[in-house]
């Protein structure tokens, strides 16, 4: 009211509608968003203020229609119109890192899911870019807006961006990151012309690069995520490694060591039955620092390429309170295929202590 005393409040529904009770006299209608001030019942961001007068008759809900519009004066309609405009643009992978779309350099992102939240109004929405990476957002107010983009199951936070009063075009740059490193033999000598494979475990997408004369490699155009990386050259292979690419860190490193290798395949059994998604560990007996973890698929099958030699195979599997385990030594022959079916059997778990 005219004394600044809050009388009533409401939150708009999913369609933006609201209903409040107003006292008689001069009334101020304040529309706000954000964190609520519990003293004056107004949120942090004032979007719009309207002042109008409520007559005594309207406050008493008398059936008076002073303007002759067929609606009693006590039914007051006040629509809140916030200025906004249509933003059009393209979403792209920023290969050269300058945040400017450069044809022939940067890569447009079709079918990218774009989510946005306006800072003041908390207006939010989701759109999908077309086959040319184009998008359009209608009725977006000026001010700060937070964007994120989801591509191939990976969500990239683009942070808060300013939307100007006259701004009609807004391209969204998704940072492109790089994985770089070196491929060596067991004597720490760089291996040229090795193939480096980077795989996104979230969607199975792979990228490849080839090492140079010194064994170094760089692979760009990647998103912020954790990847699996492995090097291959003939019958030599590295163990799979993980590399995490972080926002704000344009290049992340991964060094890989090539070993003479062979293929190991088989099926996991637990208690005499084929068991899916069973994990076991492998430790190279001549170099215990060389280890691998293997998990069978939905059919209990597995296939892994490993450095040749003798390996200790260990694992444990719990079925309710029952412990089943395995401890075996296997040999992976160089440039050959070997089959081994890990069979987990009843085991005993001991706790050691001294008195």
């Amino acid at each position: 009211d005219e004394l600044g005393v809050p009388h009533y409040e409401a939150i708009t529904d999913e369609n933006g509608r609201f209903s409040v009770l107003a006292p008689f006299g001069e009334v101020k209608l304040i529309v706000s968003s954000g964190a609520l001030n519990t003293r004056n019942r107004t949120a942090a961001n004032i979007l719009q203020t309207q002042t109008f007068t409520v007559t005594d008759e309207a406050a008493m809900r008398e059936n008076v229609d002073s303007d002759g519009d067929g609606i009693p004066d006590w039914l007051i309609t006040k629509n809140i119109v916030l200025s906004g405009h249509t933003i059009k643009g393209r979403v792209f992978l920023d290969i050269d890192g300058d945040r400017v779309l450069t044809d022939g350099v940067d890569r447009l992102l079709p079918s990218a899911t774009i989510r946005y939240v306006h800072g003041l109004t908390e207006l939010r929405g989701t759109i999908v870019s077309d086959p040319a990476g184009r998008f359009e957002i209608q009725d977006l107010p000026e001010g700060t807006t937070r964007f994120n983009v989801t591509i191939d199951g990976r969500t990239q936070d683009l942070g808060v961006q300013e939307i100007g009063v006259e701004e009609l075009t807004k391209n969204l740059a998704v940072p492109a990151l790089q994985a770089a490193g070196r491929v060596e033999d067991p004597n720490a000598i760089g291996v040229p012309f090795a193939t480096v494979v980077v795989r996104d475990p979230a969607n199975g997408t792979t990228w490849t690069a080839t090492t140079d004369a010194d064994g170094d490699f760089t692979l760009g155009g990647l998103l912020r995520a954790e990847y699996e990386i492995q090097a291959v050259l003939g019958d030599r292979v590295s163990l799979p490694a993980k590399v995490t690419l972080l926002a704000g860190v344009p290049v992340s490193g991964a060094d890989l060591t090539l070993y003479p290798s062979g293929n190991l395949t088989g099926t996991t059994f637990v208690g005499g039955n084929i068991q899916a998604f069973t994990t076991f560990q492998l430790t190279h007996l001549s170099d215990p620092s060389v280890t691998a973890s293997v998990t069978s698929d939905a059919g209990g099958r597995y296939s892994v390429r490993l450095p040749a030699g003798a390996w200790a195979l260990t694992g444990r599997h719990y079925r309710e309170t029952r412990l089943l385990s395995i401890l075996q030594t296997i040999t992976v022959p160089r440039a050959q295929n070997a089959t081994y079916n890990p069979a987990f059997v009843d085991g005993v778990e001991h706790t050691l202590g001294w008195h």
Side-chain angles (χ1 to χ4, degrees):
D1 59 21
E2 63 271 16
L3 299 177
V5 177
H7 281 259
Y8 205 85
E9 65 185 70
I11 298 175
T12 55
D13 65 14
E14 64 275 11
N15 296 311
R17 292 188 291 262
F18 68 93
S19 177
V20 296
L21 295 175
F24 71 90
E26 185 178 281
V27 174
K28 181 182 292 184
L29 178 65
I30 302 173
V31 181
S32 60
S33 68
L36 184 66
N37 184 321
T38 56
R39 183 183 61 83
N40 59 19
R41 308 304 299 172
T42 301
N45 306 311
I46 305 298
L47 305 179
Q48 193 174 115
T49 299
Q50 294 188 15
T51 301
F52 56 95
T53 299
V54 178
T55 65
D56 289 347
E57 292 82 4
M60 297 300 294
R61 296 201 177 193
E62 296 181 4
N63 288 323
V64 176
D65 182 11
S66 58
D67 57 8
D69 63 356
I71 299 175
D73 291 351
W74 59 269
L75 287 175
I76 303 171
T77 299
K78 293 292 180 182
N79 292 324
I80 309 300
V81 179
L82 302 176
S83 61
H85 44 273
T86 297
I87 299 295
K88 296 181 180 181
R90 290 183 288 179
V91 58
F92 65 96
L93 191 62
D94 189 16
I95 301 296
D96 55 12
D98 63 358
R99 300 182 63 82
V100 176
L101 177 58
T102 305
D103 292 335
V105 177
D106 298 321
R107 179 162 62 89
L108 294 170
L109 297 174
S111 303
T113 300
I114 302 168
R115 296 179 177 85
Y116 59 91
V117 180
H118 187 256
L120 287 178
T121 64
E122 298 185 19
L123 174 71
R124 62 189 63 217
T126 302
I127 55 175
V128 178
S129 61
D130 70 9
R134 292 186 294 260
F135 67 90
E136 179 177 309
I137 302 175
Q138 298 181 347
D139 301 323
L140 184 65
E142 63 180 276
T144 57
T145 300
R146 176 175 288 276
F147 292 91
N148 69 50
V149 176
T150 300
I151 312 143
D152 297 330
R154 296 290 191 182
T155 298
Q156 311 295 307
D157 183 8
L158 304 188
V160 174
Q161 304 194 27
E162 186 73 25
I163 305 297
V165 177
E166 302 297 331
E167 191 166 15
L168 300 178
T169 300
K170 183 72 175 180
N171 293 328
L172 296 177
V174 178
L177 305 178
Q178 293 182 346
R182 176 177 168 86
V183 178
E184 301 176 338
D185 66 15
N187 297 316
I189 299 173
V191 178
F193 312 119
T195 298
V196 179
V197 180
V198 175
R199 177 180 177 272
D200 186 342
N203 50 50
T205 304
T206 59
W207 300 261
T208 60
T210 302
T211 57
D212 62 16
D214 297 319
D216 297 322
F217 69 91
T218 300
L219 200 152
L222 303 174
L223 299 174
R224 175 177 57 83
E226 183 178 78
Y227 296 91
E228 297 173 353
I229 186 169
Q230 190 172 29
V232 179
L233 180 62
D235 68 352
R236 293 184 291 171
V237 67
S238 72
L239 288 173
K242 294 185 183 298
V243 58
T244 301
L245 303 185
L246 302 174
V249 183
V251 180
S252 295
D255 294 333
L256 306 169
T257 301
L258 285 178
Y259 300 93
S261 68
N263 293 318
L264 183 66
T265 61
T267 303
T268 52
F269 290 81
V270 174
N273 299 312
I274 294 175
Q275 180 67 49
F277 307 117
T278 300
T279 299
F280 56 90
Q281 286 71 43
L282 293 156
T283 302
H284 203 281
L285 292 181
S286 64
D287 185 357
S289 67
V290 179
T291 61
S293 179
V294 181
T295 301
S296 59
D297 63 16
R301 295 177 295 272
Y302 75 91
S303 178
V304 61
R305 191 173 178 183
L306 295 168
W311 292 78
L313 186 152
T314 61
R316 58 177 60 187
H317 182 87
Y318 289 94
R319 182 176 290 173
E320 296 180 350
T321 59
R322 184 182 175 191
L323 169 64
L324 299 106
S325 61
I326 186 171
L327 174 59
Q328 293 290 336
T329 300
I330 62 171
T331 299
V332 177
R334 179 172 182 174
Q336 296 183 39
N337 296 322
T339 300
Y340 180 73
N341 298 321
F344 288 67
V345 297
D346 285 297
V348 178
E349 193 167 25
H350 292 282
T351 301
L352 300 179
W354 288 265
H355 300 280

